[in-house]
PDB file of all heavy atoms in Angstrom:
ATOM      1  N   GLN A  41     139.330 309.687 275.266  1.00 76.00           N
ATOM      2  CA  GLN A  41     138.989 308.292 274.959  1.00 76.00           C
ATOM      3  C   GLN A  41     139.788 307.269 275.744  1.00 76.00           C
ATOM      4  O   GLN A  41     139.635 306.076 275.537  1.00 76.00           O
ATOM      5  CB  GLN A  41     139.155 308.030 273.464  1.00 76.00           C
ATOM      6  CG  GLN A  41     138.161 308.805 272.623  1.00 76.00           C
ATOM      7  CD  GLN A  41     138.036 308.243 271.228  1.00 76.00           C
ATOM      8  OE1 GLN A  41     138.332 307.090 270.986  1.00 76.00           O
ATOM      9  NE2 GLN A  41     137.586 309.060 270.305  1.00 76.00           N
ATOM     10  N   GLY A  42     140.654 307.713 276.634  1.00 81.00           N
ATOM     11  CA  GLY A  42     141.404 306.748 277.425  1.00 81.00           C
ATOM     12  C   GLY A  42     142.389 305.972 276.574  1.00 81.00           C
ATOM     13  O   GLY A  42     142.888 306.450 275.566  1.00 81.00           O
ATOM     14  N   LEU A  43     142.629 304.733 276.996  1.00 88.00           N
ATOM     15  CA  LEU A  43     143.634 303.895 276.338  1.00 88.00           C
ATOM     16  C   LEU A  43     142.923 302.994 275.323  1.00 88.00           C
ATOM     17  O   LEU A  43     142.195 302.080 275.691  1.00 88.00           O
ATOM     18  CB  LEU A  43     144.329 303.065 277.408  1.00 88.00           C
ATOM     19  CG  LEU A  43     145.675 302.444 277.082  1.00 88.00           C
ATOM     20  CD1 LEU A  43     146.692 303.538 276.796  1.00 88.00           C
ATOM     21  CD2 LEU A  43     146.147 301.590 278.239  1.00 88.00           C
TER      22      LEU A  43
ATOM     23  N   VAL B   4     135.236 296.932 280.536  1.00 93.00           N
ATOM     24  CA  VAL B   4     135.640 297.322 281.881  1.00 93.00           C
ATOM     25  C   VAL B   4     135.070 298.696 282.180  1.00 93.00           C
ATOM     26  O   VAL B   4     135.151 299.593 281.337  1.00 93.00           O
ATOM     27  CB  VAL B   4     137.184 297.390 281.991  1.00 93.00           C
ATOM     28  CG1 VAL B   4     137.592 297.854 283.380  1.00 93.00           C
ATOM     29  CG2 VAL B   4     137.800 296.039 281.671  1.00 93.00           C
ATOM     30  N   THR B   5     134.532 298.852 283.360  1.00 95.00           N
ATOM     31  CA  THR B   5     134.011 300.155 283.792  1.00 95.00           C
ATOM     32  C   THR B   5     134.731 300.580 285.060  1.00 95.00           C
ATOM     33  O   THR B   5     134.706 299.870 286.070  1.00 95.00           O
ATOM     34  CB  THR B   5     132.501 300.086 284.067  1.00 95.00           C
ATOM     35  OG1 THR B   5     131.827 299.644 282.889  1.00 95.00           O
ATOM     36  CG2 THR B   5     131.974 301.461 284.462  1.00 95.00           C
ATOM     37  N   GLN B   6     135.381 301.715 284.999  1.00 95.00           N
ATOM     38  CA  GLN B   6     135.964 302.303 286.197  1.00 95.00           C
ATOM     39  C   GLN B   6     135.045 303.444 286.591  1.00 95.00           C
ATOM     40  O   GLN B   6     134.853 304.398 285.847  1.00 95.00           O
ATOM     41  CB  GLN B   6     137.390 302.772 285.932  1.00 95.00           C
ATOM     42  CG  GLN B   6     138.334 301.594 285.735  1.00 95.00           C
ATOM     43  CD  GLN B   6     139.773 302.019 285.592  1.00 95.00           C
ATOM     44  OE1 GLN B   6     140.380 301.848 284.525  1.00 95.00           O
ATOM     45  NE2 GLN B   6     140.340 302.573 286.636  1.00 95.00           N
ATOM     46  N   CYS B  23     136.289 298.983 290.111  1.00 97.00           N
ATOM     47  CA  CYS B  23     136.348 298.437 288.761  1.00 97.00           C
ATOM     48  C   CYS B  23     135.298 297.346 288.631  1.00 97.00           C
ATOM     49  O   CYS B  23     135.236 296.435 289.455  1.00 97.00           O
ATOM     50  CB  CYS B  23     137.729 297.856 288.483  1.00 97.00           C
ATOM     51  SG  CYS B  23     137.848 296.946 286.919  1.00 97.00           S
ATOM     52  N   TYR B  89     145.352 305.017 287.534  1.00 97.00           N
ATOM     53  CA  TYR B  89     145.248 303.579 287.709  1.00 97.00           C
ATOM     54  C   TYR B  89     144.248 303.013 286.706  1.00 97.00           C
ATOM     55  O   TYR B  89     143.140 303.522 286.566  1.00 97.00           O
ATOM     56  CB  TYR B  89     144.805 303.250 289.148  1.00 97.00           C
ATOM     57  CG  TYR B  89     145.873 303.614 290.153  1.00 97.00           C
ATOM     58  CD1 TYR B  89     146.038 304.940 290.562  1.00 97.00           C
ATOM     59  CD2 TYR B  89     146.742 302.650 290.672  1.00 97.00           C
ATOM     60  CE1 TYR B  89     147.037 305.291 291.463  1.00 97.00           C
ATOM     61  CE2 TYR B  89     147.739 302.992 291.575  1.00 97.00           C
ATOM     62  CZ  TYR B  89     147.882 304.316 291.959  1.00 97.00           C
ATOM     63  OH  TYR B  89     148.870 304.657 292.850  1.00 97.00           O
ATOM     64  N   PHE B  90     144.667 301.955 286.026  1.00 96.00           N
ATOM     65  CA  PHE B  90     143.846 301.349 284.986  1.00 96.00           C
ATOM     66  C   PHE B  90     143.514 299.907 285.359  1.00 96.00           C
ATOM     67  O   PHE B  90     144.407 299.114 285.649  1.00 96.00           O
ATOM     68  CB  PHE B  90     144.583 301.339 283.647  1.00 96.00           C
ATOM     69  CG  PHE B  90     144.807 302.700 283.053  1.00 96.00           C
ATOM     70  CD1 PHE B  90     145.930 303.439 283.399  1.00 96.00           C
ATOM     71  CD2 PHE B  90     143.904 303.242 282.165  1.00 96.00           C
ATOM     72  CE1 PHE B  90     146.144 304.701 282.866  1.00 96.00           C
ATOM     73  CE2 PHE B  90     144.103 304.503 281.618  1.00 96.00           C
ATOM     74  CZ  PHE B  90     145.225 305.237 281.971  1.00 96.00           C
ATOM     75  N   CYS B  91     142.234 299.598 285.292  1.00 96.00           N
ATOM     76  CA  CYS B  91     141.786 298.230 285.447  1.00 96.00           C
ATOM     77  C   CYS B  91     141.737 297.601 284.055  1.00 96.00           C
ATOM     78  O   CYS B  91     141.406 298.288 283.073  1.00 96.00           O
ATOM     79  CB  CYS B  91     140.390 298.224 286.084  1.00 96.00           C
ATOM     80  SG  CYS B  91     139.714 296.601 286.425  1.00 96.00           S
ATOM     81  N   ALA B  92     142.078 296.321 283.950  1.00 93.00           N
ATOM     82  CA  ALA B  92     142.082 295.666 282.643  1.00 93.00           C
ATOM     83  C   ALA B  92     141.571 294.242 282.780  1.00 93.00           C
ATOM     84  O   ALA B  92     141.715 293.607 283.823  1.00 93.00           O
ATOM     85  CB  ALA B  92     143.488 295.669 282.049  1.00 93.00           C
ATOM     86  N   VAL B  93     140.985 293.743 281.711  1.00 90.00           N
ATOM     87  CA  VAL B  93     140.426 292.399 281.713  1.00 90.00           C
ATOM     88  C   VAL B  93     140.884 291.657 280.472  1.00 90.00           C
ATOM     89  O   VAL B  93     141.057 292.234 279.400  1.00 90.00           O
ATOM     90  CB  VAL B  93     138.879 292.454 281.782  1.00 90.00           C
ATOM     91  CG1 VAL B  93     138.291 293.133 280.552  1.00 90.00           C
ATOM     92  CG2 VAL B  93     138.292 291.062 281.919  1.00 90.00           C
ATOM     93  N   THR B 103     141.598 294.384 277.471  1.00 87.00           N
ATOM     94  CA  THR B 103     140.767 295.585 277.390  1.00 87.00           C
ATOM     95  C   THR B 103     140.969 296.411 278.641  1.00 87.00           C
ATOM     96  O   THR B 103     140.845 295.897 279.757  1.00 87.00           O
ATOM     97  CB  THR B 103     139.285 295.207 277.251  1.00 87.00           C
ATOM     98  OG1 THR B 103     139.118 294.430 276.062  1.00 87.00           O
ATOM     99  CG2 THR B 103     138.413 296.458 277.153  1.00 87.00           C
ATOM    100  N   PHE B 104     141.262 297.685 278.458  1.00 90.00           N
ATOM    101  CA  PHE B 104     141.525 298.581 279.584  1.00 90.00           C
ATOM    102  C   PHE B 104     140.315 299.448 279.880  1.00 90.00           C
ATOM    103  O   PHE B 104     139.558 299.828 278.976  1.00 90.00           O
ATOM    104  CB  PHE B 104     142.702 299.501 279.271  1.00 90.00           C
ATOM    105  CG  PHE B 104     144.039 298.813 279.326  1.00 90.00           C
ATOM    106  CD1 PHE B 104     144.527 298.119 278.233  1.00 90.00           C
ATOM    107  CD2 PHE B 104     144.811 298.860 280.484  1.00 90.00           C
ATOM    108  CE1 PHE B 104     145.754 297.478 278.282  1.00 90.00           C
ATOM    109  CE2 PHE B 104     146.045 298.228 280.542  1.00 90.00           C
ATOM    110  CZ  PHE B 104     146.514 297.530 279.440  1.00 90.00           C
ATOM    111  N   GLY B 105     140.160 299.786 281.156  1.00 92.00           N
ATOM    112  CA  GLY B 105     139.194 300.802 281.542  1.00 92.00           C
ATOM    113  C   GLY B 105     139.738 302.175 281.217  1.00 92.00           C
ATOM    114  O   GLY B 105     140.878 302.319 280.760  1.00 92.00           O
ATOM    115  N   ILE B 106     138.923 303.188 281.474  1.00 91.00           N
ATOM    116  CA  ILE B 106     139.300 304.546 281.072  1.00 91.00           C
ATOM    117  C   ILE B 106     140.260 305.201 282.062  1.00 91.00           C
ATOM    118  O   ILE B 106     140.809 306.255 281.789  1.00 91.00           O
ATOM    119  CB  ILE B 106     138.034 305.411 280.877  1.00 91.00           C
ATOM    120  CG1 ILE B 106     138.344 306.644 280.020  1.00 91.00           C
ATOM    121  CG2 ILE B 106     137.400 305.779 282.206  1.00 91.00           C
ATOM    122  CD1 ILE B 106     137.145 307.234 279.367  1.00 91.00           C
ATOM    123  N   GLY B 107     140.478 304.558 283.199  1.00 94.00           N
ATOM    124  CA  GLY B 107     141.453 305.067 284.152  1.00 94.00           C
ATOM    125  C   GLY B 107     140.824 305.878 285.275  1.00 94.00           C
ATOM    126  O   GLY B 107     139.791 306.528 285.083  1.00 94.00           O
ATOM    127  N   THR B 108     141.463 305.828 286.435  1.00 96.00           N
ATOM    128  CA  THR B 108     141.064 306.631 287.596  1.00 96.00           C
ATOM    129  C   THR B 108     142.295 307.378 288.088  1.00 96.00           C
ATOM    130  O   THR B 108     143.325 306.758 288.371  1.00 96.00           O
ATOM    131  CB  THR B 108     140.532 305.750 288.745  1.00 96.00           C
ATOM    132  OG1 THR B 108     139.352 305.078 288.319  1.00 96.00           O
ATOM    133  CG2 THR B 108     140.214 306.605 289.972  1.00 96.00           C
TER     134      THR B 108
END
Side-chain angles (χ1 to χ4, degrees):
Chain A
Q41 294 198 23
L43 199 63
Chain B
V4 178
T5 302
Q6 290 185 246
C23 172
Y89 293 79
F90 292 87
C91 183
V93 63
T103 300
F104 286 85
I106 199 158
T108 297

